Amino acid sequence: MKSLTRVSVVAGTAASAVLLLSAVPAFAHVSVSPEGVAAKGGYATVNFKVPNERDDASTTKLEITFPADQPLASVMTQPIPGWKAKVTKTKLKKPIEIHGEKIDEAVSKVTWTADGKGVEPGTFQKFPLSLGQLPEDADQMVFKALQTYSNKEVVRWIEPQQKGQEEPEFPAPALALSAADDHHGGAASDDKADADDKAEAKSDGKEESASDGDSSDTTARTLGIVGIVVGAAGVAFGVLAGRRRSS
């Protein structure tokens, strides 16, 4: 009986532990997403979303490292109240050409440092960047993010997602790149709209011309009928006048 009781206690404890573990929510991580579309070969505005996962500390620093094999010549920060941004550039081993201009350095890291309270517990902060020119031969860009808390703790979000495997414990933020056609979708739509407007204007012009022609025809017919009526009235008047004279 004692052995059965011990087995029951152990089993109950294990079951409770499983329930407790399953009840713990998955921690959010630093992620990146575009505003609209991030198309291959184009430019995009993206947001790095940083949640605070601690109850007793604030996030006071964020470092984003760019992939060295996908250099970007243009990276611009947007002012964020309570934060200072620093853009670090590195010389390229092999210059790249963008819009006919050779570029020998690219942005390697952007660092935001809080000069206020930072990202407090229970909140998150978005850090926007304007990026370009995005790679033309890749489906994504994988960054590395270091999140520093006010208690000096550093969380390294640097583990890339491997295809067909579960998400790592500290996944690196990855930006998905869409087809280049999506980047030109807006221009194509505008061109199509202009073409439609021109076609509609041309059609309206034809209809207006046809309407003017119909109006002219109607006027001519009306004048002809009036002429006939006036002529007939003149003939009738002449006949009546002749009868009066003969009588």
Side-chain angles (χ1 to χ4, degrees):
M1 291 294 294
K2 290 183 179 180
S3 60
L4 289 175
T5 302
R6 290 176 181 175
V7 171
S8 298
V9 171
V10 172
T13 303
S16 299
V18 170
L19 289 174
L20 287 173
L21 290 174
S22 63
V24 175
F27 288 123
H29 52 270
V30 175
S31 60
V32 59
S33 60
E35 291 184 5
V37 175
K40 299 177 182 179
Y43 291 79
T45 297
V46 303
N47 288 301
F48 285 89
K49 183 178 179 181
V50 180
N52 190 326
E53 299 178 345
R54 302 294 180 264
D55 295 329
D56 55 354
S58 298
T59 296
T60 56
K61 187 177 180 180
L62 174 67
E63 298 173 73
I64 299 295
T65 301
F66 290 72
D69 58 343
Q70 296 173 324
L72 299 179
S74 175
V75 175
M76 292 188 293
T77 62
Q78 178 176 311
I80 303 175
W83 293 84
K84 292 181 179 179
K86 179 183 177 182
V87 177
T88 303
K89 293 186 177 182
T90 303
K91 286 286 184 179
L92 297 174
K93 294 180 180 179
K94 182 179 179 181
I96 59 177
E97 187 172 327
I98 298 179
H99 299 307
E101 182 181 355
K102 286 189 176 181
I103 306 298
D104 60 357
E105 63 178 9
V107 173
S108 57
K109 183 169 66 174
V110 176
T111 304
W112 288 273
T113 305
D115 55 9
K117 295 181 179 180
V119 185
E120 298 183 273
T123 66
F124 71 89
Q125 175 68 52
K126 288 184 178 181
F127 297 84
L129 287 177
S130 175
L131 307 178
Q133 187 175 358
L134 299 175
E136 297 180 350
D137 56 354
D139 294 327
Q140 67 175 359
M141 293 186 69
V142 179
F143 304 85
K144 293 181 179 180
L146 300 185
Q147 181 179 10
T148 302
Y149 286 90
S150 55
N151 60 4
K152 307 303 180 182
E153 177 189 5
V154 178
V155 181
R156 302 169 63 82
W157 306 99
I158 61 174
E159 300 175 8
Q161 173 69 56
Q162 300 297 332
K163 188 175 182 180
Q165 297 184 11
E166 295 183 358
E167 184 179 73
E169 184 177 1
F170 299 99
L175 176 67
L177 303 179
S178 61
D181 290 343
D182 294 342
H183 174 64
H184 300 294
S189 298
D190 292 342
D191 292 341
K192 185 178 184 301
D194 291 341
D196 291 343
D197 290 342
K198 290 179 181 179
E200 184 177 353
K202 188 175 181 180
S203 176
D204 290 343
K206 288 183 178 179
E207 291 177 0
E208 185 176 353
S209 298
S211 176
D212 292 343
D214 292 342
S215 178
S216 299
D217 291 343
T218 302
T219 302
R221 290 173 184 173
T222 302
L223 291 175
I225 293 172
V226 170
I228 294 172
V229 172
V230 172
V235 172
F237 179 77
V239 172
L240 290 174
R243 287 180 180 178
R244 288 178 182 176
R245 288 175 185 175
S246 61
S247 60

